[in-house]
Amino acid sequence: MCREISTRIDDIQGVYVVGGAVRDLILDRKPDDVDISVVGNAAAFSELLAVRLGANAPTTSQFLTYRIELASGPIDIVTARSESYATPAALPDVAPSSIVDDLKRRDFTVNAMGISLLATNWGNLVDPANGFGDIMRKRIRVLHDASFVDDPTRMYRAVRYAARLGFSLEPHTHELLAQSLGNVERVSGARLRHEFELILAEPTRVEVLRMAEEFGLLGAISPGLRIGTKALEILGRTSPENIEDMLAVVTFGLNAGEADQVAVRFDGPAAWNESITGGPRLASLVSVLDQEKLQRSEVADILSPIPLPAIRAYIAVGPPLPRRNRMIAYMDKIRFEKPEITGDDLIAAGIPESPVIGKLIELVKRAKLDGQVHSREEELKLAKSRLPGFLIAPKQ
Ligand code: ATP
């Protein structure tokens, strides 16, 4: 067993902490996670590290990567590798390689540094593209001119890091970005969605989105996608767990055609589509909510088919017309109100089990919303009064 482990240790030629953790260390920021790059047998290193840390066995993926889950966050371990792109925006072909090749395949110079963890050269910085210099100059720079063509999602990463770190895009990188916008259409909906989720999860999401819009990166997703000033202000205050609410705010103000296009482009799950297209659906019928004489049951009729994120977005971003108070009443109270009686009460009162029960409960619910019944007894009385007499079973 010992011989087996030491043989496998011999297969490990280099171990480096790489990427964001190195960047954050230099910037004196706390890294979110730790990425390790192993020259040689990454599988052996991952297994040995997991044993050393008392963690579960590492999980593995098709891209020669391994993950160790710790309470403090994951450690991702990759086999140092080179990458080549058969076609632009495709997933890369990978082959095991040196640490320098591994750093050169990365997105930006500031993310392309490694620090050795091997005892023989512990602490050595490997920085083939002068990421250290770019950190000092506070700039995001790509490693080569085809970077955004190879992987257009890097353009979204560029503005995300720039906003997060308070950096700007190095001028040539900015030029390359402007020239590469047309490549965004080659990116799959799933990858775009992932980038958008990462943006919305950033504490500096407002600044990221502002930059993305300014650089044409929102329009590159779908021509109608733009974000108003009020929406940006609200986004700064929205909790990042609530992605559907944020999406509804981001897309607030798009017309039905634009929203449909955005939803198709992201190709997301039903909740994404609803949040994106709910806004225009609501906007098309919302003026009715300004009418002076409107029963609460009618408010429920209008708003119940609309996805909740769209209503919340309208309350937050929309104009302060009477409709707003009606939406607030719906969100806070109306949608939760239901009769005291249930279908079982009606069955117990002798009404045969049938679809009629559901209809009667609905009728009682509307009457309750509109203040026409105030107690359980009144609800029961109303339900019975609306039922043709022959449906009520005679008392035993
Ligand atoms: P964060 O603090 O956001 O986690 P990070 O730098 O750790 O920042 P990850 O998305 O975890 O970012 O990626 C880890 C590293 O992998 C990056 O630092 C970068 O070197 C590399 N990387 C990630 N995505 C790409 C990409 N699309 N193209 C090239 N390199 C990438």
Side-chain angles (χ1 to χ4, degrees), residues 156-292:
Y156 297 88
R157 294 177 65 86
V159 288
R160 194 154 59 78
Y161 288 122
R164 186 201 295 175
L165 304 173
F167 285 18
S168 52
L169 296 200
E170 172 270 331
H172 184 56
T173 298
H174 196 166
E175 255 170 53
L176 292 170
L177 184 146
Q179 291 161 14
S180 311
L181 289 173
N183 292 292
V184 172
E185 67 182 33
R186 298 181 213 243
V187 179
S188 70
R191 291 190 73 205
L192 267 185
R193 239 173 27 242
H194 179 64
E195 289 307 320
F196 217 73
E197 278 172 354
L198 291 176
I199 288 175
L200 293 179
E202 287 282 330
T204 53
R205 66 188 82 93
V206 171
E207 191 48 28
V208 183
L209 290 167
R210 218 194 299 273
M211 287 174 90
E213 177 149 6
E214 187 191 327
F215 295 170
L217 284 165
L218 295 187
I221 293 175
S222 182
L225 186 57
R226 61 191 176 275
I227 308 183
T229 321
K230 182 90 188 285
L232 278 176
E233 192 188 301
I234 300 301
L235 274 179
R237 291 189 251 131
T238 314
S239 151
E241 293 88 63
N242 217 331
I243 179 104
E244 277 87 24
D245 277 7
M246 289 207 258
L247 275 176
V249 173
V250 165
T251 53
F252 183 86
L254 301 194
N255 66 36
E258 290 164 342
D260 282 346
Q261 276 183 11
V262 172
V264 168
R265 182 63 186 98
F266 278 127
D267 193 20
W272 270 64
N273 295 343
E274 295 229 309
S275 295
I276 296 168
T277 59
R281 268 169 66 200
L282 177 58
S284 70
L285 43 79
V286 79
S287 62
V288 184
L289 292 176
D290 291 337
Q291 282 174 17
E292 211 176 301

Side-chain angles (χ1 to χ4, degrees), residues 37-99:
S37 192
V38 176
V39 182
N41 194 338
F45 175 78
S46 308
E47 283 162 29
L48 293 171
L49 184 63
V51 171
R52 249 309 169 74
L53 296 173
N56 286 335
T59 52
T60 179
S61 88
Q62 75 204 82
F63 298 113
L64 311 171
T65 66
Y66 307 87
R67 169 168 282 203
I68 299 173
E69 297 287 354
L70 297 177
S72 54
I75 300 183
D76 285 314
I77 299 149
V78 301
T79 309
R81 65 208 192 205
S82 60
E83 277 180 1
S84 56
Y85 290 79
T87 53
L91 287 175
D93 299 317
V94 303
S97 190
S98 66
I99 186 64

Side-chain angles (χ1 to χ4, degrees), residues 1-31:
M1 179 68 185
C2 276
R3 230 194 25 245
E4 191 196 322
I5 288 183
S6 60
T7 315
R8 298 182 79 197
I9 289 177
D10 287 345
D11 288 349
I12 299 166
Q13 287 105 45
V15 178
Y16 298 84
V17 54
V18 290
V22 178
R23 175 200 70 217
D24 289 340
L25 244 146
I26 294 170
L27 282 165
D28 200 17
R29 293 170 63 99
K30 190 179 169 301

